[in-house]
Amino acid sequence: MKIKDAKSCRYDLVALGESMIRLSPPQHGRIEFAPLLEVWVGGGEYNVAYALSRLGLRTAWVGGLNSSPMGAVVRNHARAVGMDTSYVVERKYDGVGKKDRIGLNFTEVGVAKRGSVTLYDRGHTATSGMKPGDVNWKKLFNEDGVRWLHTGGIFAALSEGTRAVVAEAVKAAHEAGTIVSYDLNFRSKLWSSAEAVQTTEPLVPMIDCLIGNEEDFHKVLGYEAEGVDVEKAGALDVGPFKKMVERVVADYPNISVVGTTLRGVKTATINDWSAIMWARDGEGESGQFYDGPKYENLEIEDRVGGGDGFASGFTYGFLTGKGPQECVNLGVAHGALLMSTMGDTSQITLEELTHIAGGGSARIKR
């Protein structure tokens, strides 16, 4: 996977996707009985750029915002870690939210046998209203320069407009020599499997890095891990999944990296956590799998965003010249650390990440 030199680009990574305001009861409370709600910010693609900015890379986010205080919450959150928002599509707030809203989600953080739950209120948002031509991709990718574009299935699922925009962005990035990563991220509340396959298949020949679990590959690309029930909870048998990935990369020789998290849910706050990565050997036709560290009985504060933590961790590795094994180690460690704090986005420092990815302990520091 040939990544552009940092000196030739303004941005190390640009994320394309929606960012929402999340409202959650404190700790493990229920929405129905909550006397107050905490305000967080996050979105699948946005979370990756946010984390990488915290780790010291130059990132930007592209999505839709409006001129309301709700839009300012998201904008301020991004700017606080140095994320560039100059390519954000800005809309004037109409005062009532008939269109160009800021999406909301209401999230309960689970405990014991009660799993976490997210309820969406994201219709008619500024991001879902994006259309082709809203963003000057030629200026972004050819003039400013971008080393890595990250986007995915959540953004694509929002509307016919975002499906056209993601195709426009991926094509422009690919033609400019920018690495493209795509998190399949199937969301049944947003679209059907048939719609996902129809939208995603034409994009795959322009994608360098695919991210997803066995359900994502089944529902978004039509590949099945034989003998695996994608609806069943628990740790994944990686044997059938690895065979499925081998079929995917044989069909699409342009793909250089495939990453997936492995999560065994024991309770809402105790999970087994790991990941595997397939990476192509240099510019060759062959590749191999790399197993990440296994964190058994990992204690979790808030699992939302763990997968984005994995994606941002291994992307950091590739952008800083690390090998595939170290990249998957960084991804697993970052996902684990991210789930130790509340909210969707990373609160992790580079020092903490490299310490844990290198096998460090959780001994107190004083």
Side-chain angles (χ1 to χ4, degrees):
M1 193 163 60
K2 189 175 181 180
I3 304 175
K4 288 184 175 183
D5 183 74
K7 294 179 181 177
S8 66
C9 297
R10 178 179 177 183
Y11 303 108
D12 295 305
L13 178 137
V14 170
L16 170 64
E18 182 164 54
S19 183
M20 295 182 291
I21 292 176
R22 166 181 151 180
L23 303 173
S24 291
Q27 298 181 351
H28 302 287
R30 308 303 305 269
I31 292 169
E32 180 182 357
F33 302 102
L36 58 90
L37 296 170
E38 296 177 340
V39 177
W40 304 93
V41 173
E45 301 86 2
Y46 172 96
N47 295 345
V48 173
Y50 186 94
L52 290 175
S53 189
R54 279 192 55 81
L55 296 177
L57 298 186
R58 304 162 300 164
T59 75
W61 167 64
V62 181
L65 287 181
N66 66 27
S67 58
S68 72
M70 292 77 77
V73 169
V74 178
R75 190 180 297 105
N76 294 344
H77 185 262
R79 288 175 173 173
V81 293
M83 289 170 63
D84 187 286
T85 58
S86 59
Y87 282 90
V88 165
V89 177
E90 302 276 356
R91 305 295 190 203
K92 181 149 181 75
Y93 180 52
D94 64 6
V96 293
K98 290 184 177 180
K99 62 177 183 177
D100 298 323
R101 300 174 57 235
I102 300 301
L104 305 177
N105 74 77
F106 296 83
T107 296
E108 295 180 352
V109 179
V111 66
K113 289 297 184 182
R114 177 168 61 84
S116 295
V117 177
T118 292
L119 306 171
Y120 292 119
D121 180 19
R122 65 190 304 176
H124 314 291
T125 64
T127 298
S128 66
M130 290 175 65
K131 300 286 193 300
D134 280 345
V135 179
N136 188 342
W137 301 114
K138 184 176 181 180
K139 181 178 185 301
L140 177 60
F141 293 117
N142 296 90
E143 297 178 25
D144 289 347
V146 180
R147 301 175 71 202
W148 192 296
L149 170 70
H150 178 71
T151 188
I154 297 177
F155 176 75
L158 295 178
S159 67
E160 292 292 338
T162 59
R163 289 168 210 179
V165 170
V166 79
E168 182 185 56
V170 167
K171 182 175 184 291
H174 177 70
E175 291 177 349
T178 296
I179 297 298
V180 178
S181 63
Y182 194 95
D183 194 329
L184 297 171
N185 257 340
F186 181 69
R187 296 291 185 270
S188 61
K189 293 179 181 178
L190 297 179
W191 61 355
S192 68
S193 175
E195 290 173 309
V197 172
Q198 183 180 17
T199 299
T200 312
E201 275 188 339
L203 302 178
V204 180
M206 299 178 285
I207 292 170
D208 303 282
C209 173
L210 276 176
I211 304 161
N213 60 26
E214 73 286 3
E215 181 185 15
D216 294 328
F217 277 92
H218 181 203
K219 298 290 180 66
V220 180
L221 288 183
Y223 288 84
E224 293 189 43
E226 295 180 9
V228 175
D229 181 356
V230 297
E231 305 294 341
K232 185 179 179 181
L236 173 67
D237 177 0
V238 299
F241 180 79
K242 287 183 175 182
K243 290 180 181 178
M244 182 197 70
V245 169
E246 288 171 346
R247 297 199 304 273
V248 174
V249 297
D251 290 344
Y252 297 100
N254 55 286
I255 295 173
S256 295
V257 174
V258 179
T260 189
T261 57
L262 306 174
R263 186 192 294 270
V265 179
K266 296 183 175 179
T267 71
T269 50
I270 301 291
N271 288 186
D272 293 337
W273 172 255
S274 188
I276 57 173
M277 176 184 290
W278 181 90
R280 199 172 293 280
D281 299 327
E283 301 298 321
E285 296 182 1
S286 62
Q288 61 179 302
F289 285 95
Y290 298 85
D291 295 325
K294 294 177 175 61
Y295 298 144
E296 296 183 353
N297 298 315
L298 180 70
E299 296 172 284
I300 291 173
E301 182 69 20
D302 181 357
R303 66 167 283 172
V304 178
D308 302 325
F310 166 68
S312 48
F314 82 70
T315 300
Y316 176 84
F318 282 117
L319 284 169
T320 54
K322 307 293 192 297
Q325 185 62 63
E326 190 169 355
C327 288
V328 72
N329 293 354
L330 286 164
V332 173
H334 192 254
L337 286 166
L338 189 146
M339 292 186 291
S340 72
T341 61
M342 294 294 290
D344 299 30
T345 52
S346 175
Q347 300 176 24
I348 307 307
T349 67
L350 180 58
E351 181 184 5
E352 290 169 331
L353 173 59
T354 54
H355 173 71
I356 297 301
S361 75
R363 284 177 60 89
I364 189 171
K365 295 180 180 179
R366 56 187 176 187

